[in-house]
Amino acid sequence: MANKGNKKRRQFSLEEKMKVVEAVDSGKRKGDVAKEFGITPSTLSTFLKDRAKFEEKVREASVGPQRKRMRNALYDDIDKAVFAWFREIHAKNILVTGSVIRKKALNLANMLGYDNFQASVGWLNRFRDRHGIALKAVCREDSDRLMNGLGIDKVNEWHAGEIIKLIADYSPDDIFNADETGVFFQLLPQHTLAAKGDHCRGGKKAKQRLTALFCCNASGTEKMRPLIVGRSANPRCLKNVHSLPCDYRANRWAWMTQDLFNEWLMQVDARMKRAERRILLLIDNCSAHNMLPRLERIQVGYLPSNCTAVLQPLNLGIIHTMKVLYRSHLLKQILLKRHGSEDQEKVDMRQAIDMIAAAWWSVKQSTVVRCWQKAGIIPMELTDSGPEAAASEPEIATEELWHSVAIATCVPNEINFQDFVTADDDLIISQDLMDTEVIQGMEAGENTDEAGSEDEGEASSPQQPKITITEAISSVQKLRQFLSTCAGVPDAVFGQLNGIDEYLMRKVTQTLVDSKLTDFLQTK
């Protein structure tokens, strides 16, 4: 009896079960089939009863033939979404490693609304077993050697051939590069360590992020208006706001999408048509850039894949400089609020948009030119960069500023200003189209491009009071009085103030003229 109790229970794979069923279908007696496969008559009856399930699994190819247990995954919809993605990738003969599958699973889980899902190694092993997937390990040394070799060859080949053909008919003024970057716009210095390396695929941090698209030409003479993507279509802080220093759009992930990028492209194309210009636009091949509309005045050139770190000018220091300037401005805001009466250190989205745009317009022409030259796209002799190019940017004492804020906010000693600047460099900036299709299949009728609600993520941001034009003019006058008490104010500052004053006076004068004309017409 003891031996019978300790007898190990045999488990059969799906392939073995189907062989048993096929043997019965071939006309053999059930007793003979049971003896042939070493199973009891009751087990045989169970196989025949469940044959419909086995056939469905084989037909869907949703489990591997060696799979022995038919239990569904704990997160069945995540499992199905990842496997649907895997089949598409596998059909294109793209090599997929276990780490890639785990990252994709996290991405899809967040899109499906699971914040607690962990794509652990154990989950990966069970996923592989469920679907009969064999993953081959790639030696790190071989992988690095392969990537480095292919990367260098691609870069050299592109420099020697394709880029020469692309820029042949264009001057540096008409050669542009566009790229996106993610920004944790409310990131405080003391939270740098927690944000470092975060891809922000969803959850609470998604409410604190923006995606910004920048575009500039090779001569550094033209920087286009930034396009900033947030989560809320009508955030409270933008109520009654009709003019921004950028273009603003929204979707539920605050990512760049194909539709948003194509809309931006069409607007640029229309501007070039009005100006009777033709330009070359260099972009990477991220998913948002893959299906372009018909363009009349823009020729698009794609940078080689996996080489943008050394070929894309915006990635070679332009965007980094913008972030240095933005974070520096943020540090000043923190200091001002700490020394003032305000308890809230975080900025709202309106303030962040203003600061991002201001940082972008403050990037020097010499910095832009130097990055285009570093990419090897524009030779030195084609630009007029002078000795100022060697100057570091920004010129403000950022380290002293960082030191003051770090002490005041108890930042760990191992965190420095560069960590603060680059904390959001790993943010995802575009949505994989395949992910959209997968999730649409999992959640029928749900629109992944739908923007967030009006107040989502804005509960702590009070609505800004509406300022009249009379109050604005009065503020300019007060600012002029303040500057008159300061020593060494640059002439450029007074020039900018005069420009603001002239704009406001023109606006109020036109308003008065229009109202008088309306009154006159009403009396007739």
Side-chain angles (χ1 to χ4, degrees):
M1 293 295 294
N3 290 337
K4 185 177 181 180
N6 293 329
K7 184 177 180 181
K8 188 175 180 181
R9 184 179 179 182
R10 181 182 174 186
Q11 290 188 329
F12 294 86
S13 67
L14 177 63
E15 184 179 21
E16 291 171 329
K17 292 174 182 177
M18 286 304 299
K19 285 182 178 179
V20 171
V21 173
E22 289 170 359
V24 174
D25 290 343
S26 67
K28 294 182 179 179
R29 293 175 64 248
K30 292 181 180 180
D32 295 338
V33 172
K35 290 180 181 178
E36 179 183 348
F37 289 93
I39 58 177
T40 63
S42 61
T43 300
L44 176 59
S45 298
T46 301
F47 287 177
L48 293 175
K49 184 179 67 175
D50 293 338
R51 66 180 299 164
K53 294 180 182 179
F54 305 154
E55 290 171 350
E56 182 182 358
K57 295 294 184 182
V58 171
R59 185 168 57 252
E60 293 178 351
S62 60
V63 298
Q66 304 304 317
R67 174 84 177 275
K68 294 184 177 180
R69 304 182 72 182
M70 303 300 292
R71 182 189 303 169
N72 289 334
L74 179 60
Y75 297 95
D76 193 45
D77 45 357
I78 298 176
D79 189 273
K80 290 178 180 177
V82 175
F83 186 63
W85 165 81
F86 178 83
R87 284 194 296 180
E88 292 289 336
I89 289 292
H90 188 263
K92 297 178 181 179
N93 294 319
I94 298 175
L95 177 64
V96 180
T97 63
S99 61
V100 170
I101 292 178
R102 291 170 64 192
K103 289 178 181 178
K104 180 59 65 174
L106 280 174
N107 189 3
L108 294 172
N110 278 289
M111 293 174 69
L112 286 166
Y114 292 102
D115 294 331
N116 299 323
F117 173 74
Q118 299 291 327
S120 63
V121 173
W123 172 87
L124 175 65
N125 291 335
R126 290 189 295 274
F127 175 79
R128 290 169 54 187
D129 292 341
R130 278 192 293 272
H131 302 289
I133 298 172
L135 300 174
K136 296 182 179 179
V138 179
C139 173
R140 182 178 180 86
E141 181 180 345
D142 291 342
S143 176
D144 292 343
R145 178 169 50 80
L146 179 64
M147 288 298 294
N148 291 337
L150 288 177
I152 293 173
D153 290 342
K154 278 186 181 180
V155 170
N156 292 337
E157 182 181 345
W158 198 69
H159 278 152
E162 188 171 351
I163 188 57
I164 295 176
K165 296 177 183 177
L166 284 173
I167 68 174
D169 298 328
Y170 298 93
S171 71
D173 290 344
D174 295 325
I175 303 174
F176 288 79
N177 175 220
D179 192 31
E180 299 90 355
T181 187
V183 180
F184 277 135
F185 70 91
Q186 289 186 331
L187 179 66
L188 297 176
Q190 60 267 34
H191 299 152
T192 298
L193 195 60
K196 192 74 173 175
D198 192 339
H199 297 284
C200 191
R201 294 181 173 87
K204 293 181 179 179
K205 286 187 178 179
K207 299 179 182 179
Q208 304 167 8
R209 64 155 294 162
L210 299 168
T211 295
L213 179 146
F214 299 106
C215 184
C216 63
N217 66 357
S219 63
T221 58
E222 186 174 353
K223 296 199 292 285
M224 295 187 186
R225 279 170 64 92
L227 170 62
I228 295 181
V229 184
R231 294 186 80 243
S232 178
N234 300 295
R236 186 176 299 165
C237 62
L238 294 185
K239 193 169 185 178
N240 298 322
V241 173
H242 304 292
S243 295
L244 288 171
C246 66
D247 295 323
Y248 178 77
R249 298 292 184 271
N251 59 56
R252 65 184 300 189
W253 305 109
W255 288 346
M256 180 58 66
T257 63
Q258 222 173 70
D259 290 341
L260 291 182
F261 185 72
N262 287 349
E263 178 192 359
W264 176 83
L265 264 183
M266 293 297 290
Q267 292 173 351
V268 174
D269 192 61
R271 289 203 302 270
M272 295 304 155
K273 187 175 181 179
R274 289 194 297 268
E276 297 184 350
R277 291 176 63 186
R278 293 187 180 276
I279 66 170
L280 171 67
L281 178 64
L282 301 176
I283 57 176
D284 58 33
N285 59 355
C286 83
S287 59
H289 302 167
N290 284 340
M291 296 182 66
L292 305 182
R294 181 178 176 274
L295 303 169
E296 296 182 34
R297 299 286 177 155
I298 302 176
Q299 179 184 354
V300 175
Y302 283 103
L303 298 164
S305 58
N306 302 320
C307 299
T308 54
V310 294
L311 287 179
Q312 180 143 252
L314 281 162
N315 278 354
L316 292 173
I318 299 174
I319 287 178
H320 177 77
T321 300
M322 183 282 302
K323 286 194 174 183
V324 168
L325 293 165
Y326 173 74
R327 300 288 187 211
S328 299
H329 201 157
L330 195 57
L331 292 178
K332 295 176 186 176
Q333 291 283 341
I334 293 172
L335 276 182
L336 285 174
K337 290 182 178 181
R338 278 190 159 263
H339 287 284
S341 58
E342 296 183 56
D343 296 329
Q344 182 72 9
E345 293 181 348
K346 292 182 179 180
V347 300
D348 62 25
M349 194 169 66
R350 165 66 192 276
Q351 294 171 311
I353 287 174
D354 288 340
M355 288 192 291
I356 290 172
W360 171 242
W361 299 123
S362 298
V363 176
K364 293 181 179 178
Q365 178 181 357
S366 59
T367 300
V368 174
V369 170
R370 189 164 64 249
C371 293
W372 278 88
Q373 292 171 339
K374 188 176 179 180
I377 297 174
I378 302 299
M380 292 287 189
E381 59 269 17
L382 292 183
T383 60
D384 297 323
S385 59
E388 61 168 344
S392 60
E393 190 175 359
E395 296 175 353
I396 58 175
T398 54
E399 289 301 330
E400 289 81 357
L401 183 62
W402 167 260
H403 183 66
S404 299
V405 176
I407 292 176
T409 57
C410 302
V411 177
N413 293 331
E414 63 268 22
I415 303 298
N416 58 37
F417 179 64
Q418 284 304 314
D419 293 326
F420 185 46
V421 170
T422 61
D424 45 22
D425 282 359
D426 293 327
L427 285 183
I428 293 176
I429 51 88
S430 63
Q431 184 176 14
D432 193 333
L433 293 178
M434 194 176 299
D435 291 355
T436 308
E437 295 168 359
V438 167
I439 298 304
Q440 285 177 342
M442 299 302 303
E443 299 178 346
E446 181 173 348
N447 182 6
T448 59
D449 285 336
E450 183 182 354
S453 62
E454 177 179 348
D455 296 330
E456 186 175 6
E458 295 288 329
S460 61
S461 301
Q463 180 179 330
Q464 297 297 319
K466 189 173 182 179
I467 299 174
T468 66
I469 193 165
T470 304
E471 292 172 332
I473 293 173
S474 176
S475 297
V476 172
Q477 292 172 349
K478 288 180 181 179
L479 184 57
R480 195 185 298 277
Q481 291 174 4
F482 169 76
L483 291 175
S484 66
T485 65
C486 301
V489 178
D491 292 339
V493 173
F494 285 110
Q496 292 167 350
L497 197 60
N498 289 336
I500 296 172
D501 195 27
E502 290 175 8
Y503 170 79
L504 292 175
M505 293 305 295
R506 271 199 316 270
K507 189 171 182 63
V508 72
T509 302
Q510 187 62 48
T511 302
L512 290 172
V513 170
D514 292 343
S515 64
K516 291 292 184 183
L517 182 60
T518 301
D519 293 342
F520 173 76
L521 292 174
Q522 287 177 348
T523 60
K524 295 302 251 181

